[in-house]
Structure formats: structure tokens, C-alpha cells
């Protein structure tokens, strides 16, 4: 993700990912952005050659992580306590190995890196089309929706150069949240009748 000069040496660095429930001194940590564009994470030794690979879009999705280096599109709505019924959106991708992941959080009760479970206030949704309507049915005052692009295995083919999914990204549009709440008067005008 970035290079840092340490004395006469240049070090390549990236944010660390710690498994859920582990502290920051855990030996289970790993680089957050290893294995991008659907490739397998590989090891490298000190002094090995590094190739700068040009790309068009960042692959900044990491499952069960909440790091400032992640790349996502977020929408947030704050309402008086309402019942959020459903969420739908339309997504457009040009390659079947590029997908959209949607994380939804109610009232900030769960952390973004928690396991999405029923009743936890955190949902993991996939598949956005004009026909898909994802049920939420949860009472809350705040709803946060994050859209992330993920690249499946095979999106980048470094052996034969025949896969081009890594050159594309997803497009999300027409996001709609349906909810039920109390009625409000937004504009009032008195007449002399």
C-alpha cells in the first residue's frame, strides 16, 4: 500500500489485519491487502524483486475488516426511530468475476468487522438488481449501508493474460431504503377560509 524508507532500505508496507477477538500483538496478524484481484497470497523473501503492476481500480475489500485504508461507498440515514423494512439497489458489472458486497449496520451496535448474524444489527447482502428486495425488518434510528467491490478467483490471470476482470469495477445505482415511521409535516400553510 505504501513504501517507507528505513535507513538505507526501502520497506513495502500495508495495514495489518488481526482476526476477530485477537489483540494488536497477536501473531495471527497478516497483511490486509494480500492476494488482490482474486489471486492467491504468496510469500516473498527479503531482497526479492518487486514488480509495479499497473491497475485501474483499487481492490480495497477485505472480509471482516474495518480499516481506514478500505475502499467502499457508504450511505447513512438518520431518522426518528423507524422500522427499516428493506433495501434494494441496482448493480452493474462487466465481468462475472467482479461482485458487489453490501454491509448494512443498524444503530452502530455491531462493529464492521463482526460476524453478520441474525439479530446482531449487521447484515451481509449480495445481489442487487431491480427485482431483488433484501428484507431488513429492524427498528433503529440510524442505518449505514456500505457497498464494496470484490474480485473473485480468476479475475487476474498472470499466466495466460486472458482474464481482464481486474481492469473493471462495479457500479452501484438506484439505492432505495424502505421504512415505516411516524408522519411528519414538512410544509404548512394557513389560509383564511
Amino acid at each position: 500500500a505504501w513504501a517507507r524508507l528505513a535507513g538505507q532500505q526501502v520497506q513495502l508496507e500495508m495495514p495489518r489485519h488481526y482476526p476477530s477477538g485477537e489483540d494488536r500483538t497477536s501473531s495471527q496478524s497478516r497483511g490486509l491487502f494480500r492476494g488482490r484481484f482474486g489471486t492467491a497470497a504468496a510469500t516473498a523473501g527479503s531482497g526479492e524483486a518487486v514488480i509495479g503492476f499497473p491497475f485501474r481500480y483499487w481492490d480495497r475489500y477485505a472480509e471482516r475488516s474495518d480499516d481506514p485504508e478500505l475502499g467502499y461507498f457508504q450511505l447513512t440515514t438518520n431518522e426518528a426511530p423507524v422500522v427499516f423494512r428493506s433495501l434494494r439497489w441496482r448493480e452493474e458489472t462487466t465481468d462475472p468475476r467482479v461482485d458487489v458486497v453490501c454491509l448494512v449496520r443498524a444503530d452502530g451496535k455491531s462493529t464492521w468487522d463482526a460476524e453478520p448474524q441474525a439479530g446482531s444489527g449487521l447484515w451481509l447482502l449480495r445481489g442487487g438488481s431491480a427485482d431483488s428486495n433484501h428484507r431488513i425488518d429492524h427498528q433503529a434510528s440510524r442505518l449505514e449501508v456500505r457497498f464494496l467491490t470484490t474480485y473473485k478467483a480468476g479475475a487476474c490471470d498472470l499466466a495466460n493474460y486472458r482474464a481482464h476482470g481486474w481492469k473493471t469495477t462495479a457500479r452501484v445505482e438506484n439505492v432505495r431504503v424502505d421504512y415505516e415511521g411516524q408522519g411528519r409535516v414538512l410544509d404548512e400553510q394557513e389560509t383564511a377560509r
Side-chain angles (χ1 to χ4, degrees), residues 174-186:
N174 200 18
V175 180
R176 295 177 182 237
V177 176
D178 297 322
Y179 61 88
E180 292 178 17
Q182 63 186 13
R184 292 184 186 174
V185 177
L186 299 177

Side-chain angles (χ1 to χ4, degrees), residues 13-148:
E13 297 180 350
M14 71 173 63
R16 305 297 294 166
H17 175 72
Y18 300 92
S20 186
E22 298 286 330
D23 60 4
R24 295 278 183 203
T25 60
S26 171
S27 62
Q28 301 274 331
S29 69
R30 60 176 173 79
L32 183 65
F33 296 127
R34 294 190 63 209
R36 299 291 82 192
F37 299 108
T39 61
T43 59
S46 178
E48 286 192 42
V50 175
I51 298 171
F53 193 74
F55 58 91
R56 293 188 176 122
Y57 302 100
W58 286 98
D59 181 6
R60 291 289 177 116
Y61 168 69
E63 189 173 314
R64 298 196 52 208
S65 177
D66 185 23
D67 191 271
E69 294 287 329
L70 295 177
Y72 52 82
F73 171 62
Q74 180 169 330
L75 299 167
T76 303
T77 180
N78 293 304
E79 298 291 335
V82 297
V83 177
F84 290 100
R85 292 291 180 201
S86 63
L87 171 69
R88 65 181 158 195
W89 70 92
R90 188 171 64 237
E91 64 189 53
E92 184 181 307
T93 58
T94 57
D95 192 287
R97 292 170 294 246
V98 179
D99 198 14
V100 173
V101 174
C102 178
L103 286 170
V104 179
R105 181 169 76 167
D107 284 338
K109 291 181 180 176
S110 293
T111 59
W112 289 109
D113 57 356
E115 180 72 30
Q117 296 176 2
S120 68
L122 184 65
W123 296 266
L124 175 68
L125 309 173
R126 293 180 187 264
S129 67
D131 301 330
S132 26
N133 202 17
H134 301 280
R135 302 298 299 167
I136 296 173
D137 290 330
H138 190 84
Q139 182 176 356
S141 298
R142 180 183 180 102
L143 193 73
E144 298 166 281
V145 181
R146 281 187 180 180
F147 294 99
L148 305 105

